[in-house]
Amino acid sequence: DYWIGGYSGGGAIAFETARLLAARGRPATGLVLLDANAPGTESLRGMDQAFGDGFIHRLAANWLGERWGGGTVRLPAAELAAVDAGARTGLVVDHLFRTASPPMPRAEAHAMIDGMDAVAGAIGRALSAYRPAPIDPPLPTLLVRCSRGMAPAGNPLDLPAFLTEGDYRAGWADLVGGAIDTVDIDCDHFSLVLEPHVNRLATAIRDRLNAAGRTDARRARVAAVVLDKVRRGLADVPEVAVTPDRSMTELGATSLDRVEIALAAMEELGLDIPPRDLTGLANIDGLIDTLHRHMLACSDGRGPAE
């Protein structure tokens, strides 16, 4: 089992990776979107103009300076504006080595910042041309949203202000095929992976993965119980033939057999499910999903699932 995740524009990359894997029969367990803008959103229109030329260098100077111990020492926008494009990286590297403690040689820091600038441009162009298709089957998704938006005025990294009129994260539900678990963190987009917000982020991801693990374990238990009851109820059927993708009718079960098997599984699992929820199930997996859904509803204190 594996989850795929992405931050900002990387959310679309993570989604498309998951979509391609699902199409090839290797679906991910889930998707984690870290304040990721939904592909095709119009709410980010005007962002490039608002941020201006040299934005990635300004972001690198202030964000990396924060990460590497520079505290609140920011690179003034006027200093970047005073040099041509070819000199920006050198100016940023000088600033970082003067005000912080980069964990790498100067040449490596220079190459990394040049790479950040190149990758940001490439991702921007790719997202402009990207036309996503919904994923199939639906994918459990955690969406972490920064409640202060993209870049409010007076933001901690002293970046140009840009707030969208709409929610740049809106639209993901249609692409991932259903409801999304959403966690809001009180910060702006560019502060999400800085302390103290990154600690809240780590907790949110850990809690979601732990919950998924518990859900998987519960479903595995339901599946084991149901398959055991089917094999006991249809003792004449070879055990290897009893698989979740088979229907009990196909295996020779009568209506009474199906009722008795469902009741036996419900009794062992401590469930009481309305008969209407047990009709029209295509196969054994359908019964497993129904019992599992009701188990989760009961454990959440919501009573029998509607």
Side-chain angles (χ1 to χ4, degrees), residues 12-196:
I13 297 173
F15 168 78
E16 181 62 14
T17 301
R19 193 190 67 80
L20 291 174
L21 287 170
R24 297 172 185 176
R26 300 179 59 191
T29 303
L31 182 66
V32 177
L33 302 171
L34 306 182
D35 207 54
N37 48 292
T41 179
E42 291 294 317
S43 62
L44 294 182
R45 186 180 298 277
M47 183 177 68
D48 289 346
Q49 183 177 357
F51 283 160
D53 196 26
F55 171 75
I56 294 300
H57 290 88
R58 187 172 176 184
L59 173 63
N62 297 346
W63 187 79
L64 291 174
E66 183 86 13
R67 286 287 308 274
W68 292 342
T72 59
V73 181
R74 307 302 186 209
L75 177 63
E79 287 192 28
L80 274 173
V83 301
D84 60 34
R88 287 174 186 154
T89 300
L91 181 66
V92 171
V93 171
D94 288 344
H95 170 80
L96 290 172
F97 274 84
R98 184 174 65 251
T99 63
S101 301
M104 61 186 67
R106 183 179 291 266
E108 187 175 339
H110 198 290
M112 184 184 74
I113 294 168
D114 278 345
M116 290 174 63
D117 190 39
V119 168
I123 290 177
R125 291 189 295 273
L127 290 181
S128 295
Y130 179 48
R131 299 295 179 267
I135 199 167
D136 184 29
L139 189 62
T141 300
L142 170 66
L143 172 62
V144 177
R145 298 185 306 190
C146 297
S147 61
R148 299 189 186 184
M150 184 62 66
N155 61 80
L157 293 179
D158 193 29
L159 300 174
F162 177 74
L163 286 176
T164 62
E165 293 184 2
D167 185 356
Y168 52 90
R169 290 118 346 171
W172 280 117
D174 291 338
L175 291 174
V176 301
I180 294 179
D181 290 336
T182 302
V183 173
D184 288 339
I185 295 181
D186 185 25
C187 66
D188 66 85
H189 180 81
F190 297 101
S191 300
L192 178 61
V193 288
L194 293 172
E195 293 184 352

Side-chain angles (χ1 to χ4, degrees), residues 207-272:
D207 288 349
R208 184 62 184 85
L209 297 184
N210 287 342
R214 291 192 296 271
T215 298
D216 291 344
R218 288 172 178 170
R219 193 184 189 283
R221 178 175 175 242
V222 172
V225 169
V226 169
L227 291 171
D228 176 66
K229 300 308 179 188
V230 173
R231 289 166 182 145
R232 290 175 182 272
L234 305 177
D236 293 336
V237 177
E239 187 170 316
V240 294
V242 180
T243 56
D245 62 323
R246 302 289 296 276
S247 72
M248 285 189 271
T249 301
E250 180 186 3
L251 294 173
T254 65
S255 298
L256 182 59
D257 291 331
R258 295 197 299 273
V259 170
E260 290 179 344
I261 289 168
L263 289 173
M266 288 163 53
E267 181 179 3
E268 182 165 337
L269 294 168
L271 298 173
D272 183 12

